Amino acid sequence: MAGLNPSQQEAVETLSGPMLVLAGAGSGKTRVVTFRIANLIKHGTRAERILAVTFTNKAAGEMHERLSKILGKQKQKPQISTFHSHCVRVLRRHARTLGYPERFAIYDRGDQESLARAVLRDIKVPSESLRPGDLLFQIGQWKTRGVRPTEAARIARDDKEHLASMGYRRYQRSLQLAGAVDFDDLLLLADDLFEQHPDIRRQEAALFDHLLVDEYQDTSGTQYRIIKALALEHRNLCVVGDDDQSIYGWRGAEVEHILRFTKDWPAAKVVHLLWNYRSTEAILQFANQLIAFNKVRHEKELKAARPGGERPRIEQYENETVEAQATVADIRRRIEGEKLEPRDFAILFRTNEQPRAFETELRKAKIPYVLLGSQSFFDRKEVKDILAYLKTIVLPRDEVSLLRTINNPPRGIGEKTVELILKTATGQGVSVWNVLTGDTKPRPLVAGAGRHESDSPGNHAELSLPAAARAAIARFVELIRKYHKAALHERPLAELVRRLITEIGYQAEIRRLYPDPQEQESRWQSVEEVVNALAAYEQAAEQPSLGGFLDEVTLGEAEFGNDKEKQLARNAVALLTLHSAKGLEFPHVYMVGMEEGILPHHRSLKATGGDDVDEERRLCYVGITRAQERLTLSLALTRMKWGKPRDSIPSRFLYEIMGQAEKAPGAKRRRVPGG
């Protein structure tokens, strides 16, 4: 621990009781968390009795990697995972208590959209009244606030929300009937479990002697209650975070949790990590000057471990096109003149509409770039098709996946046949799988012990279908049953899935759908990548299963495809939103669109109380502290809206940075000091 500064050492050497580590940007918090875990083990805590939770798989993976270097190979390891991953483990042990099968499916966004469409169709709500995306947005808002379906109906404020509350009830019922949960349910159900079953809460809490929470400023109300439930007895709770970097209020994060930690946990120790090892002193002066305008915060100021540095620039341009041209021209000059690499540069923006002009100029300049947040690997049709087959094999009651696979590739089960199957399932209150197998007796939500979901003896009632359609259904049912059974016993799983892909003729289907040989090859490579990922998962997992692999994919733990880390590994300029930039760093950063209505965003300006503007200021602070060597802030004096140039107002944050905040309100086309 010789390389730790005194504050870091204090955090590492405090081995019991509640502790808040206020870790400023670039202050080495990951290092502190991993060294503290290692120190706990050194002082006799068994590794498996330590639980560390964070928000991203990248952060969890980085902690695992650093711990391995410190501790070497150990048989027992601490449990380091995301909140959602830990809740999955808890629910796998106790889901039946809540009326779900142990092997529940986890629906991704595509699955949710399919279910939302079906729900709106069932309750006869026309798309002009409520679209599937609107329904999911409202359900997500309610779940983020911990609002259950019965309460949603009570608090609905207008006709649209009343329709959404009806959809929410049907949506949850359909999920449970399919033996499935969505991403938000993972937290809500764990919260329900601990609240309704104190014995299970004590049982889960007793598995660990120490709980460490990273990025505590990002916790929602539900996550806050889960943390409290797990740490209440032993009180060995260490939370690490920075209230100045709380930027996810729109998805439920409550900065109050980190602000009131010492009230929630009396006698808690507070350690300040203020030495910043990332940015130069000149950049940190801008950051400190800005964030001081947020009054409700822990008083602190970042200190520069790197004195001096180039003063950040504030640039004004005539319009957004000139802003993009000048920014890209500056990047090209520095690449050519200073022998820098494209990966050394990042362009950060507030809204998803902004990067278009920058993409155009980067293409003209022939400078490689990556736009983070573009289509995910898991959103590709062929990837979703194969994963839907795997989900159906694991849990045939998963109707979204089953309906995606039933005639894909075509096997003679047409749209009219599927409509009749759906109508029968809805009318008789059973799952589509029950109808396919002839079991039209209503089933309990939890399958009987010792029975597989694919075994379905019951009251048989044949559908009125042509013989060819019935034969096609029988072949499909046999296919799913065969692979369901094989997945329980055969290894390796990758070989099993390879056989499935061959049997359904998926490569021939790609050739049929896409005449271009290059596109055929690209899409087939995506299919191969799924199999490769499954093989990698099998090698790493102690007890590999198809369900375990699907959990990792849904939770984002499978590190393959077009994910953020792989994109950033390319030698290319990074274009990304300020929200996406959190946790990253770049030698040269351009923050563009520094205008009122963009940053701060116009929605925050309409809000009362100023809390939303405070969060926008924190977002600006996060952007500034991504820069290591050089920072440029820019704005357009006019910006195109509805085809016409409109005057812009420089962001109030620029005036605050320059110590002239009193001049900011209503400052139209005023030249920015220092610009």
Side-chain angles (χ1 to χ4, degrees):
M1 294 191 290
L4 300 176
N5 67 38
S7 296
Q8 291 173 330
Q9 198 149 354
E10 184 182 6
V12 168
E13 292 180 348
T14 302
L15 300 179
S16 63
M19 177 169 63
L20 167 62
V21 180
L22 285 169
S27 62
K29 70 178 178 64
T30 305
R31 192 168 188 229
V32 166
V33 172
T34 50
F35 268 82
R36 187 170 187 273
I37 293 172
N39 204 31
L40 285 169
I41 295 169
K42 177 187 172 185
H43 283 80
T45 301
R46 285 160 49 199
E48 69 275 16
R49 304 282 301 171
I50 300 171
L51 170 63
V53 288
T54 185
F55 281 83
T56 67
N57 297 297
K58 181 183 178 225
E62 192 176 338
M63 283 187 207
H64 269 299
E65 191 177 329
R66 291 193 185 196
L67 265 175
S68 296
K69 289 179 181 176
I70 298 169
L71 299 172
K73 287 187 177 180
Q74 286 201 325
K75 190 174 182 181
Q76 298 297 332
K77 296 179 181 178
Q79 186 175 305
I80 304 173
S81 65
T82 63
F83 273 98
H84 290 86
S85 296
H86 183 67
C87 287
V88 168
R89 292 187 187 97
V90 171
L91 292 172
R92 290 287 180 222
R93 292 191 279 266
H94 306 288
R96 291 177 182 274
T97 307
L98 297 173
Y100 287 83
E102 181 186 328
R103 194 62 259 165
F104 55 82
I106 305 171
Y107 277 8
D108 61 18
R109 178 68 186 188
D111 298 331
Q112 288 179 271
E113 287 175 354
S114 298
L115 184 58
R117 277 193 294 273
V119 162
L120 292 173
R121 185 181 63 237
D122 289 346
I123 62 176
K124 297 179 171 56
V125 174
S127 59
E128 57 268 21
S129 300
L130 190 67
R131 294 174 300 180
D134 296 334
L135 174 61
L136 290 177
F137 174 78
Q138 186 58 62
I139 290 173
Q141 291 289 299
W142 279 325
K143 288 188 175 185
T144 293
R145 286 155 42 202
V147 175
R148 274 55 175 190
T150 50
E151 191 184 352
R154 185 175 57 78
I155 65 172
R157 296 167 298 182
D158 52 35
D159 289 346
K160 191 170 184 178
E161 287 194 8
H162 276 291
L163 286 174
S165 71
M166 291 168 55
Y168 186 10
R169 283 198 305 275
R170 179 64 68 97
Y171 173 86
Q172 283 304 116
R173 204 157 58 237
S174 299
L175 272 176
Q176 198 166 10
L177 183 63
V181 301
D182 65 19
F183 210 58
D184 291 324
D185 285 336
L186 295 172
L187 300 178
L188 287 177
L189 290 174
D191 188 28
D192 286 344
L193 190 69
F194 293 158
E195 175 68 26
Q196 297 167 17
H197 303 277
D199 55 329
I200 291 176
R201 182 196 67 77
R202 286 190 292 270
Q203 181 184 332
E204 287 295 322
L207 294 174
F208 304 100
D209 297 322
H210 286 269
L211 174 57
L212 297 91
V213 183
D214 192 17
E215 305 286 10
Y216 190 65
Q217 77 280 350
D218 293 335
T219 51
S220 67
T222 306
Q223 288 162 332
Y224 168 82
R225 288 190 297 275
I226 290 170
I227 292 165
K228 202 167 183 180
L230 292 172
L232 208 54
E233 264 82 25
H234 58 64
R235 294 179 59 82
N236 291 324
L237 172 64
C238 170
V239 303
V240 184
D242 180 9
D243 50 297
D244 290 336
Q245 296 186 74
S246 180
I247 60 172
Y248 295 114
W250 49 276
R251 69 182 191 198
E254 297 178 30
V255 70
E256 293 81 11
H257 296 157
I258 196 167
L259 294 175
R260 70 170 190 239
F261 184 82
T262 52
K263 291 180 181 176
D264 289 340
W265 301 88
K269 187 170 192 175
V270 180
V271 178
H272 290 77
L273 303 185
L274 298 179
W275 284 97
N276 175 288
Y277 297 93
R278 176 189 298 149
S279 308
T280 63
E281 184 179 20
I283 292 169
L284 291 185
Q285 283 175 353
F286 268 45
N288 287 326
Q289 181 81 14
L290 172 72
I291 202 61
F293 283 89
N294 274 9
K295 300 302 180 189
V296 183
R297 58 187 288 263
H298 288 288
E299 285 297 321
K300 55 190 177 302
E301 187 171 291
L302 288 177
K303 301 173 184 177
R306 303 175 60 204
E310 181 182 327
R311 180 180 170 82
R313 297 181 304 161
I314 298 175
E315 300 285 359
Q316 299 178 129
Y317 300 106
E318 188 58 35
N319 54 50
E320 67 265 44
T321 302
V322 177
E323 180 184 40
Q325 289 170 342
T327 300
V328 172
D330 191 51
I331 291 172
R332 184 170 64 178
R333 275 196 304 273
R334 291 178 185 277
I335 289 174
E336 292 172 353
E338 300 174 26
K339 305 303 179 189
L340 299 173
E341 298 290 340
R343 66 164 63 92
D344 294 331
F345 299 88
I347 301 172
L348 309 184
F349 44 86
R350 175 63 180 87
T351 67
N352 289 318
E353 296 77 34
Q354 288 174 262
R356 181 192 56 77
F358 295 91
E359 286 191 82
T360 300
E361 295 305 320
L362 286 164
R363 282 198 294 267
K364 284 181 186 174
K366 294 184 171 54
I367 297 173
Y369 70 90
V370 289
L371 177 62
L372 272 73
S374 56
Q375 187 191 34
S376 163
F377 175 80
F378 298 103
D379 288 335
R380 298 177 187 179
K381 178 187 181 299
E382 56 277 11
V383 174
K384 291 183 77 69
D385 286 348
I386 300 305
L387 292 178
Y389 265 98
L390 304 190
K391 291 175 184 179
T392 305
I393 287 165
V394 170
L395 189 77
R397 277 167 51 192
D398 177 355
E399 292 187 4
V400 170
S401 298
L402 189 147
L403 291 172
R404 187 180 184 102
T405 58
I406 194 169
N407 200 44
N408 178 22
R411 54 171 56 88
I413 308 174
E415 285 184 20
K416 288 185 178 179
T417 300
V418 173
E419 282 176 19
L420 180 58
I421 292 167
L422 280 169
K423 189 176 178 182
T424 304
T426 304
Q428 299 189 10
V430 297
S431 71
V432 169
W433 179 252
N434 293 148
V435 175
L436 293 179
T437 58
D439 179 5
T440 53
K441 181 180 178 181
R443 305 284 303 283
L445 290 172
V446 180
R451 274 176 69 193
H452 298 314
E453 293 279 337
S454 59
D455 299 331
S456 51
N459 299 337
H460 289 265
E462 283 196 349
L463 293 168
S464 299
L465 291 171
R470 286 204 305 274
I473 289 171
R475 287 193 297 273
F476 176 69
V477 167
E478 179 54 33
L479 176 84
I480 299 303
R481 281 179 166 161
K482 180 174 75 172
Y483 280 96
H484 178 96
K485 187 177 180 181
L488 294 173
H489 306 293
E490 288 188 30
R491 295 294 181 273
L493 289 169
E495 184 55 45
L496 183 76
V497 172
R498 221 176 268 122
R499 200 163 72 234
L500 168 71
I501 292 167
T502 302
E503 185 166 345
I504 63 176
Y506 198 80
Q507 188 168 23
E509 177 66 358
I510 287 176
R511 292 196 192 103
R512 184 182 74 84
L513 291 173
Y514 309 104
D516 182 1
Q518 286 187 327
E519 188 168 7
Q520 289 175 9
E521 183 180 355
S522 171
R523 290 181 180 274
W524 183 245
Q525 283 175 353
S526 295
V527 174
E528 288 179 341
E529 189 66 25
V530 175
V531 179
N532 293 341
L534 177 55
Y537 158 79
E538 279 192 275
Q539 288 179 354
E542 290 181 14
Q543 294 180 311
S545 69
L546 218 46
F549 171 68
L550 291 170
D551 284 352
E552 289 207 352
V553 168
T554 309
L555 293 167
E557 291 184 351
E559 301 295 342
F560 67 98
N562 199 22
D563 57 23
K564 183 156 67 171
E565 284 70 36
K566 285 206 171 184
Q567 290 186 68
L568 286 171
R570 288 177 52 192
N571 189 9
V573 175
L575 273 67
L576 66 167
T577 64
L578 288 160
H579 283 100
S580 298
K582 189 168 181 296
L584 303 175
E585 58 188 24
F586 303 91
H588 306 274
V589 169
Y590 298 82
M591 286 176 61
V592 300
M594 294 292 296
E595 301 146 35
E596 290 285 295
I598 296 180
L599 186 69
H601 196 272
H602 65 84
R603 282 196 300 269
S604 70
L605 300 178
K606 294 176 183 175
T608 56
D611 289 348
D612 287 2
V613 172
D614 283 358
E615 178 153 322
E616 291 288 300
R617 189 176 287 108
R618 292 194 292 266
L619 189 58
C620 185
Y621 173 83
V622 165
I624 291 171
T625 54
R626 299 310 95 194
Q628 296 169 301
E629 307 291 342
R630 195 174 60 86
L631 172 68
T632 302
L633 307 167
S634 67
L635 68 148
L637 295 172
T638 63
R639 193 168 287 272
M640 200 69 75
K641 292 180 182 176
W642 298 105
K644 294 181 179 179
R646 303 281 176 87
D647 286 353
S648 300
I649 301 173
S651 171
R652 68 188 65 191
F653 300 151
L654 294 174
Y655 288 92
E656 292 171 358
I657 285 169
M658 300 306 297
Q660 299 184 25
E662 73 284 352
K663 296 183 180 181
K668 276 198 171 185
R669 286 187 66 84
R670 183 178 297 158
R671 289 194 65 79
V672 177

